[in-house]
Amino acid sequence: MSETRIQFAKTGRARYISHLDLMRTFQRAFLRADLHVRHTEGFNPHAYVSIALPLSVGFSSQCEILEFGLPEDADLSQVPGRLTRVLPEGITVSRCYSGGRPFKELCWVNYIITLEYDAGAPVGAENAVRALLGQERLVVSKKSKKAKSGQVQVDLIPLIRRVDYESRRDAIVLDTVLRAQNPGLNPTLLVETIRRECPGLSPDYVSCHRKQVLDQDGNPFL
Amino acid sequence: MDQTMEAILSRVEKPARYTGGEYNAVVKDRKKVDTRVALCFPDTYEIGMSNLGVRILYGLMNELPGVWCERVFAPWGDMEAEMRREGLPLYGLESGDPVSDFDILGFSLGYEMAYSNVLNLLDLAGLPLRSTDRDESHPLVIAGGTCAYNPEPLAPFIDLFSLGEGEEVTVELIQLCRRARREGWPRRDLLLAAAGIPGLYVPSLYEVTYHPDGTVAAVTPEPGAPELVTKRIVQDFDKSYFPVKTIVPSTEIVHDRVMLEVFRGCIRGCRFCQAGYAYRPVRSRDPRRLVEQGIAACKNSGYQEITLSSLSTSDYRPLEALCDGLLDWCEPNKVSLSLPSLRADNFSMGLMQRLQHVRKSGLTFAPEAGTQRLRDAINKNVTEEDLMTSCRTAFLGGWNAVKLYFMLGLPTETDEDVLGIANLARKVLQLWRETAPDKRRGCRITVSTACFVPKPHTAFQWEPQVTREEYLRRVKLLRENLREKSISYHWHDPDTSFLEAVFARGDRRLAGVLEAAWREGAKFDAWSEYFDLERWLRAFESCGLDPAFYANRARSREEVLPWIRVSTGVRTDFLWRERELAYTAVITPDCRKQCTGCGANCLLEKGRSCDE
């Protein structure tokens, strides 16, 4: 058995499948595809799968990475097609490769965050967000399971590598590069901060798309 | 998926329940189908997707050319609130289209406490609740399932009820609906024609009259409506449809595994058990066929667990052969096999050990009553010795936890019978002390009691339910006599059982109560988060009806029961005889020892016999 990875997209109806459910979905999909993957030991053996970076429910992504074990002699080129055929609508496997860098080297994520406004984007919205995120420090409190108070203070600025702005008639699109892990910055926290600091900019609907995962230097993580 | 839906889904819990798109969900081209069916399960996705009947009918209808069957479940409160606020009507999971545009809306009725959800779903669909307010421009609203054997409380809301097994009658009804639409029949003509199909009960064709004391005087069929509607069965269960290719939910459901139905019906004849009478005659499936279906279903779904399903799986004659056949494939493929609903009288340790690759969790037995006299009265043919033998084998095999299920309030029950439960639990504990090879982790015995609910089409259909106060008195008596640290006692709340008893044997007037309670917010009554007995009592009061009249009153043999026009194939005089035997605590042997002549075998075609 060797460590194998697939890259997959999660869009449409599949966006609402939670992280745990997605792992179960893949475990079953491997069996449906008749791929003999490494199983866990114990009372209830199941396919061993590991997903690089859990994606929040509702987000779409085109760059999810899942690791599993496949026999050395398996034909990797067939895996994407065989898996995609047996996955729920909205999950598409684009490539399969062996090895890959350790997940801990995955440092940044490119998220496209779209703030949508039914009645058109507020005047000056882009500049207001620019000003908010252009500060030296932006400390917000964040829920934490570890802290006794259930809250920790986080400065968002060091967790943001880059933000590009695009104003549309009824939306502001933030093309962001955010810290992936230890600690990561979830786009939801960024949007919550915008809602709180700039109440006039509260969007009617927010969509988040994970476009690319990057390493420490901002190069694509493979 | 439009933006309204996306916005809603971002605000509700477990949104994967509301999206569809699972593996094996059937999506057809709207333009290439002429009949759209919504299969509605009036509870959550997690419960409804666990129902084998729903999966059978879904697969079967979608195999019909021109028919597209979709699923509908009850949205949880947060989702319902969002749907109502955004004006999003009830939709089919596969297409997202409003179900009010469908041709047929079919409800699966497994539990009386889901009735309020039936009304809520009709309302969410934007349909008038009552049949009389709907016409051929609306979907035909039908219902089937165990509760359809007393269709009366839902009669004004449902256009027709399908009695018994739906595999064949569903197809016949779809054909009839097609013809009605093609030829432009008014709704009433369709209903009259449907009443001519065996197994379909059209409530609007029966007039109910009442005596001054509130009991039913007569249920009179209109010209053209049959005097008696008898349930349908599948004649050849070996060849009947089994969904090998079945939906694999993308989120966790209650029974998330391959379900193999080994037989229908039951040989036992427990006098309280509606399923035991209503699913007769016994028809089983060939073990080789089951092995093939089980393997194919696992391969197709990727499930790693198979469970055997029936009313009493240990009564399946070729059980060992079936398990061996399945395990030969399951073991090398890391698939586990589980076997629920074991009886304490023929529990085989060898079998259990082959099955239990998983950790030694608890074993569950349901003696139902604490003394032999009462077990004989209810015809639960399990002796204390059977239970002790099974427990001994289990303890010797390393099990340290046993769950024992009982009912309180069974007909003829005395305080002695209640105390018998405590004695039985103590004897099991004592047995563990004498036999368990490893006592370090201690023993856990769990006693659970539920309040007995008399059901129609059983030997106890004439019996009163004990009052809630009396049930709680018996609970207290039992609790005071179960002081051992190793024995824990759980009792079900009697309020739900009381309402269940009301609707199980209710008449058509209860429709008004149901509607009144729903208007006051009743829904998900099977869920403690939502159930509120006070709301129901107010609804009864507003309709001038007394729930105790339905739950706690003894019926005479002569009384016209509301479900008199419905037959399960089991004769009423047989049920009465069983009731009389209960009062003398005389058992009726199981159907294999001797045919009891209940009448259900008459449902079989010539040349077939029950339990062959």
PDB file of all heavy atoms in Angstrom, chain B residues 404-429:
ATOM      1  N   LEU B 404     -33.885  -5.604  28.896  1.00  0.00           N
ATOM      2  CA  LEU B 404     -35.147  -6.349  28.955  1.00  0.00           C
ATOM      3  C   LEU B 404     -36.294  -5.370  28.715  1.00  0.00           C
ATOM      4  O   LEU B 404     -36.405  -4.359  29.410  1.00  0.00           O
ATOM      5  CB  LEU B 404     -35.296  -7.016  30.325  1.00  0.00           C
ATOM      6  CG  LEU B 404     -34.191  -8.019  30.713  1.00  0.00           C
ATOM      7  CD1 LEU B 404     -34.356  -8.445  32.164  1.00  0.00           C
ATOM      8  CD2 LEU B 404     -34.226  -9.242  29.800  1.00  0.00           C
ATOM      9  N   TYR B 405     -37.110  -5.671  27.736  1.00  0.00           N
ATOM     10  CA  TYR B 405     -38.222  -4.783  27.392  1.00  0.00           C
ATOM     11  C   TYR B 405     -39.552  -5.374  27.851  1.00  0.00           C
ATOM     12  O   TYR B 405     -39.821  -6.550  27.627  1.00  0.00           O
ATOM     13  CB  TYR B 405     -38.284  -4.567  25.858  1.00  0.00           C
ATOM     14  CG  TYR B 405     -37.243  -3.589  25.358  1.00  0.00           C
ATOM     15  CD1 TYR B 405     -36.177  -3.213  26.154  1.00  0.00           C
ATOM     16  CD2 TYR B 405     -37.336  -3.044  24.085  1.00  0.00           C
ATOM     17  CE1 TYR B 405     -35.221  -2.324  25.695  1.00  0.00           C
ATOM     18  CE2 TYR B 405     -36.378  -2.152  23.615  1.00  0.00           C
ATOM     19  CZ  TYR B 405     -35.322  -1.792  24.426  1.00  0.00           C
ATOM     20  OH  TYR B 405     -34.376  -0.915  23.971  1.00  0.00           O
ATOM     21  N   PHE B 406     -40.361  -4.526  28.470  1.00  0.00           N
ATOM     22  CA  PHE B 406     -41.673  -4.955  28.956  1.00  0.00           C
ATOM     23  C   PHE B 406     -42.736  -3.926  28.608  1.00  0.00           C
ATOM     24  O   PHE B 406     -42.428  -2.772  28.325  1.00  0.00           O
ATOM     25  CB  PHE B 406     -41.659  -5.114  30.486  1.00  0.00           C
ATOM     26  CG  PHE B 406     -40.683  -6.128  30.992  1.00  0.00           C
ATOM     27  CD1 PHE B 406     -39.389  -5.761  31.322  1.00  0.00           C
ATOM     28  CD2 PHE B 406     -41.056  -7.456  31.127  1.00  0.00           C
ATOM     29  CE1 PHE B 406     -38.471  -6.694  31.788  1.00  0.00           C
ATOM     30  CE2 PHE B 406     -40.154  -8.399  31.596  1.00  0.00           C
ATOM     31  CZ  PHE B 406     -38.858  -8.014  31.923  1.00  0.00           C
ATOM     32  N   MET B 407     -43.992  -4.390  28.689  1.00  0.00           N
ATOM     33  CA  MET B 407     -45.106  -3.446  28.602  1.00  0.00           C
ATOM     34  C   MET B 407     -45.827  -3.455  29.936  1.00  0.00           C
ATOM     35  O   MET B 407     -45.957  -4.511  30.568  1.00  0.00           O
ATOM     36  CB  MET B 407     -46.067  -3.851  27.486  1.00  0.00           C
ATOM     37  CG  MET B 407     -45.561  -3.465  26.116  1.00  0.00           C
ATOM     38  SD  MET B 407     -46.775  -3.794  24.854  1.00  0.00           S
ATOM     39  CE  MET B 407     -46.492  -5.519  24.574  1.00  0.00           C
ATOM     40  N   LEU B 408     -46.293  -2.299  30.346  1.00  0.00           N
ATOM     41  CA  LEU B 408     -47.163  -2.222  31.525  1.00  0.00           C
ATOM     42  C   LEU B 408     -48.561  -1.885  31.025  1.00  0.00           C
ATOM     43  O   LEU B 408     -48.715  -1.147  30.046  1.00  0.00           O
ATOM     44  CB  LEU B 408     -46.676  -1.133  32.493  1.00  0.00           C
ATOM     45  CG  LEU B 408     -45.415  -1.442  33.299  1.00  0.00           C
ATOM     46  CD1 LEU B 408     -45.061  -0.253  34.185  1.00  0.00           C
ATOM     47  CD2 LEU B 408     -45.591  -2.696  34.147  1.00  0.00           C
ATOM     48  N   GLY B 409     -49.552  -2.414  31.725  1.00  0.00           N
ATOM     49  CA  GLY B 409     -50.923  -2.113  31.335  1.00  0.00           C
ATOM     50  C   GLY B 409     -51.508  -3.124  30.377  1.00  0.00           C
ATOM     51  O   GLY B 409     -52.547  -2.874  29.756  1.00  0.00           O
ATOM     52  N   LEU B 410     -50.876  -4.279  30.234  1.00  0.00           N
ATOM     53  CA  LEU B 410     -51.444  -5.325  29.376  1.00  0.00           C
ATOM     54  C   LEU B 410     -52.749  -5.830  29.996  1.00  0.00           C
ATOM     55  O   LEU B 410     -52.897  -5.817  31.222  1.00  0.00           O
ATOM     56  CB  LEU B 410     -50.451  -6.483  29.246  1.00  0.00           C
ATOM     57  CG  LEU B 410     -49.245  -6.216  28.343  1.00  0.00           C
ATOM     58  CD1 LEU B 410     -48.130  -7.212  28.631  1.00  0.00           C
ATOM     59  CD2 LEU B 410     -49.668  -6.290  26.876  1.00  0.00           C
ATOM     60  N   PRO B 411     -53.692  -6.275  29.181  1.00  0.00           N
ATOM     61  CA  PRO B 411     -54.937  -6.794  29.722  1.00  0.00           C
ATOM     62  C   PRO B 411     -54.659  -7.910  30.736  1.00  0.00           C
ATOM     63  O   PRO B 411     -53.740  -8.705  30.528  1.00  0.00           O
ATOM     64  CB  PRO B 411     -55.649  -7.353  28.481  1.00  0.00           C
ATOM     65  CG  PRO B 411     -55.093  -6.572  27.338  1.00  0.00           C
ATOM     66  CD  PRO B 411     -53.683  -6.271  27.701  1.00  0.00           C
ATOM     67  N   THR B 412     -55.406  -7.903  31.791  1.00  0.00           N
ATOM     68  CA  THR B 412     -55.341  -8.865  32.914  1.00  0.00           C
ATOM     69  C   THR B 412     -54.144  -8.640  33.838  1.00  0.00           C
ATOM     70  O   THR B 412     -53.949  -9.406  34.770  1.00  0.00           O
ATOM     71  CB  THR B 412     -55.320 -10.357  32.474  1.00  0.00           C
ATOM     72  OG1 THR B 412     -54.001 -10.700  31.995  1.00  0.00           O
ATOM     73  CG2 THR B 412     -56.361 -10.667  31.402  1.00  0.00           C
ATOM     74  N   GLU B 413     -53.338  -7.603  33.611  1.00  0.00           N
ATOM     75  CA  GLU B 413     -52.158  -7.405  34.450  1.00  0.00           C
ATOM     76  C   GLU B 413     -52.543  -7.025  35.890  1.00  0.00           C
ATOM     77  O   GLU B 413     -53.413  -6.191  36.102  1.00  0.00           O
ATOM     78  CB  GLU B 413     -51.277  -6.294  33.865  1.00  0.00           C
ATOM     79  CG  GLU B 413     -49.963  -6.087  34.641  1.00  0.00           C
ATOM     80  CD  GLU B 413     -49.101  -4.999  34.006  1.00  0.00           C
ATOM     81  OE1 GLU B 413     -49.505  -3.822  34.053  1.00  0.00           O
ATOM     82  OE2 GLU B 413     -48.054  -5.342  33.434  1.00  0.00           O
ATOM     83  N   THR B 414     -51.869  -7.674  36.848  1.00  0.00           N
ATOM     84  CA  THR B 414     -52.059  -7.345  38.264  1.00  0.00           C
ATOM     85  C   THR B 414     -50.733  -6.841  38.828  1.00  0.00           C
ATOM     86  O   THR B 414     -49.701  -6.929  38.156  1.00  0.00           O
ATOM     87  CB  THR B 414     -52.469  -8.592  39.063  1.00  0.00           C
ATOM     88  OG1 THR B 414     -51.387  -9.539  38.973  1.00  0.00           O
ATOM     89  CG2 THR B 414     -53.746  -9.226  38.513  1.00  0.00           C
ATOM     90  N   ASP B 415     -50.773  -6.379  40.082  1.00  0.00           N
ATOM     91  CA  ASP B 415     -49.535  -5.921  40.717  1.00  0.00           C
ATOM     92  C   ASP B 415     -48.519  -7.053  40.813  1.00  0.00           C
ATOM     93  O   ASP B 415     -47.311  -6.829  40.747  1.00  0.00           O
ATOM     94  CB  ASP B 415     -49.833  -5.362  42.111  1.00  0.00           C
ATOM     95  CG  ASP B 415     -50.453  -3.970  42.020  1.00  0.00           C
ATOM     96  OD1 ASP B 415     -50.632  -3.482  40.875  1.00  0.00           O
ATOM     97  OD2 ASP B 415     -50.760  -3.380  43.072  1.00  0.00           O
ATOM     98  N   GLU B 416     -49.022  -8.259  40.927  1.00  0.00           N
ATOM     99  CA  GLU B 416     -48.130  -9.419  40.991  1.00  0.00           C
ATOM    100  C   GLU B 416     -47.311  -9.522  39.697  1.00  0.00           C
ATOM    101  O   GLU B 416     -46.116  -9.831  39.715  1.00  0.00           O
ATOM    102  CB  GLU B 416     -48.982 -10.675  41.184  1.00  0.00           C
ATOM    103  CG  GLU B 416     -48.214 -11.893  41.643  1.00  0.00           C
ATOM    104  CD  GLU B 416     -49.138 -13.111  41.668  1.00  0.00           C
ATOM    105  OE1 GLU B 416     -50.327 -12.947  42.053  1.00  0.00           O
ATOM    106  OE2 GLU B 416     -48.677 -14.194  41.271  1.00  0.00           O
ATOM    107  N   ASP B 417     -47.970  -9.245  38.566  1.00  0.00           N
ATOM    108  CA  ASP B 417     -47.260  -9.289  37.282  1.00  0.00           C
ATOM    109  C   ASP B 417     -46.220  -8.186  37.191  1.00  0.00           C
ATOM    110  O   ASP B 417     -45.139  -8.383  36.638  1.00  0.00           O
ATOM    111  CB  ASP B 417     -48.256  -9.151  36.121  1.00  0.00           C
ATOM    112  CG  ASP B 417     -49.269 -10.281  36.094  1.00  0.00           C
ATOM    113  OD1 ASP B 417     -48.839 -11.449  36.105  1.00  0.00           O
ATOM    114  OD2 ASP B 417     -50.487  -9.987  36.065  1.00  0.00           O
ATOM    115  N   VAL B 418     -46.569  -7.021  37.746  1.00  0.00           N
ATOM    116  CA  VAL B 418     -45.627  -5.898  37.725  1.00  0.00           C
ATOM    117  C   VAL B 418     -44.394  -6.264  38.543  1.00  0.00           C
ATOM    118  O   VAL B 418     -43.244  -6.094  38.089  1.00  0.00           O
ATOM    119  CB  VAL B 418     -46.292  -4.618  38.282  1.00  0.00           C
ATOM    120  CG1 VAL B 418     -45.284  -3.477  38.343  1.00  0.00           C
ATOM    121  CG2 VAL B 418     -47.502  -4.229  37.429  1.00  0.00           C
ATOM    122  N   LEU B 419     -44.624  -6.825  39.738  1.00  0.00           N
ATOM    123  CA  LEU B 419     -43.501  -7.217  40.588  1.00  0.00           C
ATOM    124  C   LEU B 419     -42.709  -8.359  39.947  1.00  0.00           C
ATOM    125  O   LEU B 419     -41.510  -8.515  40.197  1.00  0.00           O
ATOM    126  CB  LEU B 419     -44.006  -7.620  41.974  1.00  0.00           C
ATOM    127  CG  LEU B 419     -44.635  -6.448  42.744  1.00  0.00           C
ATOM    128  CD1 LEU B 419     -45.266  -6.929  44.045  1.00  0.00           C
ATOM    129  CD2 LEU B 419     -43.590  -5.355  43.032  1.00  0.00           C
ATOM    130  N   GLY B 420     -43.386  -9.125  39.115  1.00  0.00           N
ATOM    131  CA  GLY B 420     -42.717 -10.215  38.389  1.00  0.00           C
ATOM    132  C   GLY B 420     -41.590  -9.693  37.513  1.00  0.00           C
ATOM    133  O   GLY B 420     -40.585 -10.384  37.298  1.00  0.00           O
ATOM    134  N   ILE B 421     -41.749  -8.483  37.003  1.00  0.00           N
ATOM    135  CA  ILE B 421     -40.689  -7.881  36.179  1.00  0.00           C
ATOM    136  C   ILE B 421     -39.433  -7.698  37.021  1.00  0.00           C
ATOM    137  O   ILE B 421     -38.325  -8.045  36.597  1.00  0.00           O
ATOM    138  CB  ILE B 421     -41.171  -6.527  35.592  1.00  0.00           C
ATOM    139  CG1 ILE B 421     -42.327  -6.764  34.624  1.00  0.00           C
ATOM    140  CG2 ILE B 421     -40.021  -5.806  34.900  1.00  0.00           C
ATOM    141  CD1 ILE B 421     -42.978  -5.480  34.095  1.00  0.00           C
ATOM    142  N   ALA B 422     -39.638  -7.173  38.246  1.00  0.00           N
ATOM    143  CA  ALA B 422     -38.493  -6.964  39.142  1.00  0.00           C
ATOM    144  C   ALA B 422     -37.837  -8.301  39.481  1.00  0.00           C
ATOM    145  O   ALA B 422     -36.609  -8.425  39.481  1.00  0.00           O
ATOM    146  CB  ALA B 422     -38.951  -6.250  40.406  1.00  0.00           C
ATOM    147  N   ASN B 423     -38.642  -9.315  39.736  1.00  0.00           N
ATOM    148  CA  ASN B 423     -38.097 -10.643  40.065  1.00  0.00           C
ATOM    149  C   ASN B 423     -37.270 -11.189  38.912  1.00  0.00           C
ATOM    150  O   ASN B 423     -36.179 -11.729  39.103  1.00  0.00           O
ATOM    151  CB  ASN B 423     -39.231 -11.627  40.376  1.00  0.00           C
ATOM    152  CG  ASN B 423     -39.831 -11.347  41.740  1.00  0.00           C
ATOM    153  OD1 ASN B 423     -39.159 -10.792  42.618  1.00  0.00           O
ATOM    154  ND2 ASN B 423     -41.103 -11.694  41.911  1.00  0.00           N
ATOM    155  N   LEU B 424     -37.804 -11.037  37.717  1.00  0.00           N
ATOM    156  CA  LEU B 424     -37.123 -11.562  36.543  1.00  0.00           C
ATOM    157  C   LEU B 424     -35.768 -10.875  36.367  1.00  0.00           C
ATOM    158  O   LEU B 424     -34.755 -11.528  36.122  1.00  0.00           O
ATOM    159  CB  LEU B 424     -38.009 -11.346  35.311  1.00  0.00           C
ATOM    160  CG  LEU B 424     -37.714 -12.199  34.084  1.00  0.00           C
ATOM    161  CD1 LEU B 424     -37.819 -13.685  34.420  1.00  0.00           C
ATOM    162  CD2 LEU B 424     -38.692 -11.852  32.964  1.00  0.00           C
ATOM    163  N   ALA B 425     -35.763  -9.558  36.529  1.00  0.00           N
ATOM    164  CA  ALA B 425     -34.513  -8.806  36.373  1.00  0.00           C
ATOM    165  C   ALA B 425     -33.494  -9.255  37.421  1.00  0.00           C
ATOM    166  O   ALA B 425     -32.312  -9.415  37.124  1.00  0.00           O
ATOM    167  CB  ALA B 425     -34.785  -7.310  36.494  1.00  0.00           C
ATOM    168  N   ARG B 426     -33.982  -9.473  38.655  1.00  0.00           N
ATOM    169  CA  ARG B 426     -33.069  -9.927  39.714  1.00  0.00           C
ATOM    170  C   ARG B 426     -32.519 -11.314  39.425  1.00  0.00           C
ATOM    171  O   ARG B 426     -31.364 -11.613  39.686  1.00  0.00           O
ATOM    172  CB  ARG B 426     -33.790  -9.915  41.058  1.00  0.00           C
ATOM    173  CG  ARG B 426     -33.707  -8.552  41.752  1.00  0.00           C
ATOM    174  CD  ARG B 426     -34.106  -8.646  43.205  1.00  0.00           C
ATOM    175  NE  ARG B 426     -35.522  -8.964  43.340  1.00  0.00           N
ATOM    176  CZ  ARG B 426     -36.486  -8.041  43.408  1.00  0.00           C
ATOM    177  NH1 ARG B 426     -36.164  -6.758  43.371  1.00  0.00           N
ATOM    178  NH2 ARG B 426     -37.741  -8.387  43.515  1.00  0.00           N
ATOM    179  N   LYS B 427     -33.372 -12.181  38.854  1.00  0.00           N
ATOM    180  CA  LYS B 427     -32.906 -13.540  38.535  1.00  0.00           C
ATOM    181  C   LYS B 427     -31.815 -13.489  37.456  1.00  0.00           C
ATOM    182  O   LYS B 427     -30.857 -14.241  37.508  1.00  0.00           O
ATOM    183  CB  LYS B 427     -34.078 -14.396  38.044  1.00  0.00           C
ATOM    184  CG  LYS B 427     -34.926 -14.926  39.171  1.00  0.00           C
ATOM    185  CD  LYS B 427     -36.045 -15.808  38.642  1.00  0.00           C
ATOM    186  CE  LYS B 427     -37.052 -16.091  39.738  1.00  0.00           C
ATOM    187  NZ  LYS B 427     -38.315 -16.627  39.188  1.00  0.00           N
ATOM    188  N   VAL B 428     -31.995 -12.587  36.503  1.00  0.00           N
ATOM    189  CA  VAL B 428     -30.977 -12.448  35.459  1.00  0.00           C
ATOM    190  C   VAL B 428     -29.664 -11.975  36.075  1.00  0.00           C
ATOM    191  O   VAL B 428     -28.592 -12.483  35.755  1.00  0.00           O
ATOM    192  CB  VAL B 428     -31.461 -11.486  34.341  1.00  0.00           C
ATOM    193  CG1 VAL B 428     -30.333 -11.187  33.358  1.00  0.00           C
ATOM    194  CG2 VAL B 428     -32.660 -12.076  33.608  1.00  0.00           C
ATOM    195  N   LEU B 429     -29.762 -11.047  37.017  1.00  0.00           N
ATOM    196  CA  LEU B 429     -28.567 -10.533  37.688  1.00  0.00           C
ATOM    197  C   LEU B 429     -27.874 -11.645  38.482  1.00  0.00           C
ATOM    198  O   LEU B 429     -26.656 -11.802  38.426  1.00  0.00           O
ATOM    199  CB  LEU B 429     -28.949  -9.362  38.607  1.00  0.00           C
ATOM    200  CG  LEU B 429     -27.816  -8.728  39.404  1.00  0.00           C
ATOM    201  CD1 LEU B 429     -26.756  -8.167  38.483  1.00  0.00           C
ATOM    202  CD2 LEU B 429     -28.353  -7.615  40.317  1.00  0.00           C
TER     203      LEU B 429
END
